[in-house]
Amino acid sequence: MKILISNDDGITAPGIHALSRAFAEAGHDVAVIAPDAQRSAASHSMTLFAPLKVRKAHVPGARLAFAVSGTPADCVKLGLRNLCPEAEFVVSGVNHGYNAGSDVLYSGTVAAAMEGALEGRPAMAVSLAGSREDTYDRAAQTALRVFDVLREKPLPPLCVLNLNYPGVDDARGIKAAPLKRMRYTDVYAQERGEAGECLYHLRGNVDETVEEGEDDFTWLRRGYATVTVLSFDMTEKDATNALRTVL
């Protein structure tokens, strides 16, 4: 199968190399089109007022590879429209750090997969709660296993499968679970710049007191990989319909 692989960590990131190797070794025709630098938390932003610079690159396992000056969504859109229009499936990742719960709203990894879905291809985002090289490979192999399931039982149109692998040597299993609303201990640390301007740096971590449930983040903390089906449609239907009676 022809696979387009992208990410938001950049084309030199170990996670995208692990995915490319895994899918190529499984017999798939792999094209990698990814940002030329780190683009984490880019969400679904796109480059509108500057040209995209594209250069050839080398990624293990990939038949062709391009580094693009834009965002993850740019990479997939340009890939499917121009550089690799024959791609049949889009995979994004393996991201350095999970994309669980409400963090999917910020994720360039998830956005790259969602752009694939919006372009009419089945798509999957893959993320890892850790950074060891061998764990990237385990996450990539889990992605292959899930990919084979999706070929037999496709997702609905315009949907993305969001896969997270826990930060352990071997996941205890795979759980299908809903997203969790994440909470953070975020603060903006203030300092003075060289020219006297006021600078703010975002600092913070996950609020570890967050209550447990049957959600994706809780299962990750228990050592399970998680899968969640995401859609572009964020409509709250009941509230929207209720407005018809008052507007």
Side-chain angles (χ1 to χ4, degrees):
M1 196 170 188
K2 293 179 171 62
I3 311 294
L4 189 159
I5 298 179
S6 192
N7 72 352
D8 71 1
D9 289 328
I11 198 161
T12 63
I16 201 168
H17 289 206
L19 266 186
S20 179
R21 286 193 304 268
F23 275 81
E25 290 170 3
H28 298 288
D29 183 355
V30 173
V32 171
I33 304 172
D36 59 6
Q38 174 64 253
R39 298 287 193 280
S40 288
S43 189
H44 212 116
S45 61
M46 297 183 66
T47 303
L48 300 180
F49 304 109
L52 294 172
K53 299 177 182 178
V54 178
R55 62 175 173 82
K56 289 186 177 180
H58 173 73
V59 174
R63 174 178 57 85
L64 58 86
F66 295 100
V68 180
S69 63
T71 67
D74 286 331
C75 293
V76 173
K77 194 174 189 72
L78 180 64
L80 295 177
R81 295 293 182 96
N82 292 76
L83 303 177
C84 187
E86 68 276 11
E88 302 168 272
F89 200 105
V90 174
V91 184
S92 180
V94 175
N95 189 66
H96 179 190
Y98 63 73
N99 280 300
S102 49
D103 283 358
V104 300
L105 296 173
Y106 307 112
S107 170
T109 301
V110 173
M114 186 61 72
E115 185 62 33
L118 292 173
E119 290 286 334
R121 272 67 163 192
M124 172 169 56
V126 187
S127 302
L128 169 65
S131 59
R132 279 175 31 200
E133 191 75 30
D134 59 336
T135 316
Y136 280 117
D137 292 331
R138 292 172 192 269
Q141 290 300 320
T142 303
L144 264 177
R145 174 184 168 190
V146 173
F147 170 82
D148 287 337
V149 172
L150 293 181
R151 294 178 71 183
E152 296 296 322
K153 297 182 178 180
L155 297 176
L158 305 178
C159 288
V160 164
L161 195 288
N162 188 43
L163 166 65
N164 282 280
Y165 194 88
V168 297
D169 288 343
D170 289 296
R172 300 174 65 183
I174 301 177
K175 295 286 187 178
L179 300 178
K180 185 180 194 68
R181 180 190 173 189
M182 304 297 291
R183 294 204 305 262
Y184 288 86
T185 58
D186 288 345
V187 296
Y188 282 92
Q190 180 181 339
E191 66 178 54
R192 195 64 66 178
E194 293 182 0
E197 72 275 28
C198 198
L199 306 177
Y200 290 89
H201 300 273
L202 181 62
R203 301 282 186 265
N205 293 293
V206 174
D207 183 353
E208 294 296 340
T209 65
V210 65
E211 62 281 357
E212 292 195 344
E214 299 301 306
D215 55 79
D216 60 346
F217 183 66
T218 300
W219 285 115
L220 280 168
R221 292 206 291 186
R222 293 170 179 166
Y224 288 84
T226 64
V227 290
T228 308
V229 179
L230 307 177
S231 169
F232 83 98
D233 186 357
M234 294 191 289
T235 305
E236 213 307 316
K237 294 180 180 178
D238 290 342
T240 301
N241 290 336
L243 288 176
R244 293 175 180 170
T245 65
V246 296
L247 293 177

